[in-house]
Amino acid sequence: MGATLEKAFGYQGDPMNLPVPDLAAALPFYEDRFGFRVISRGDTPCRSAVLARDQVQIGLAENGGDSSQDGCAFHVKDLDALFAELRVRGLQKELGEFGIEEHDDAAWRVFYVVAPDGLCYWFGERQSGH
């Protein structure tokens, strides 16, 4: 079994309404690099798409929001396998960019990816025994 995205949390509270300036330009990154698939699209009230992978869904929308101030945190099962998969998919990132962060009295091994649209993504795996 490979890596799994288990939960998604939007930085601004809504992972289903993440702002992008150009939906059509943004989608290939999520499909090609992150392995999401588009499960629905909409045009009202703005162009939007719902993407799914593993146990999570996120939404991208041309809603006028500032993508540099938003993003999503993903709880991951097997962070090393996810990192390896993203690298195979063409993500330009080095292994040394992992860190340990404390959240809710738990230690998380993490790395970040900033998408070309400006959204920032936190990928973290809870460390046992912490």
Side-chain angles (χ1 to χ4, degrees):
M1 180 90 186
T4 304
L5 301 183
E6 297 181 317
K7 294 180 183 174
F9 302 92
Y11 294 161
Q12 303 296 331
D14 188 358
M16 298 306 295
N17 201 29
L18 299 169
V20 294
D22 182 337
L23 182 65
L27 287 175
F29 176 83
Y30 293 88
E31 293 173 306
D32 299 341
R33 298 293 184 271
F34 283 176
F36 279 92
R37 67 189 187 289
V38 175
I39 59 170
S40 69
R41 292 177 186 254
D43 289 318
T44 309
C46 61
R47 273 188 282 207
S48 63
V50 175
L51 297 91
R53 176 188 165 139
D54 305 326
Q55 299 171 25
V56 302
Q57 291 185 0
I58 61 172
L60 303 178
E62 290 181 12
N63 58 18
D66 183 353
S67 59
S68 70
Q69 299 299 310
D70 209 343
C72 197
F74 295 108
H75 289 186
V76 178
K77 180 179 177 190
D78 200 342
L79 194 68
D80 290 311
L82 178 68
F83 186 81
E85 175 193 328
L86 297 182
R87 293 274 312 216
V88 166
R89 290 177 166 277
L91 187 70
Q92 301 296 312
K93 198 151 187 68
E94 297 304 318
L95 193 59
E97 297 181 51
F98 278 71
I100 299 289
E101 296 180 3
E102 295 284 331
H103 297 282
D104 299 322
D105 296 323
W108 294 80
R109 187 162 170 252
V110 306
F111 68 89
Y112 291 85
V113 175
V114 177
D117 55 39
L119 292 168
C120 180
Y121 294 93
W122 178 97
F123 295 90
E125 182 173 30
R126 188 181 188 125
Q127 301 299 288
S128 59
H130 293 280

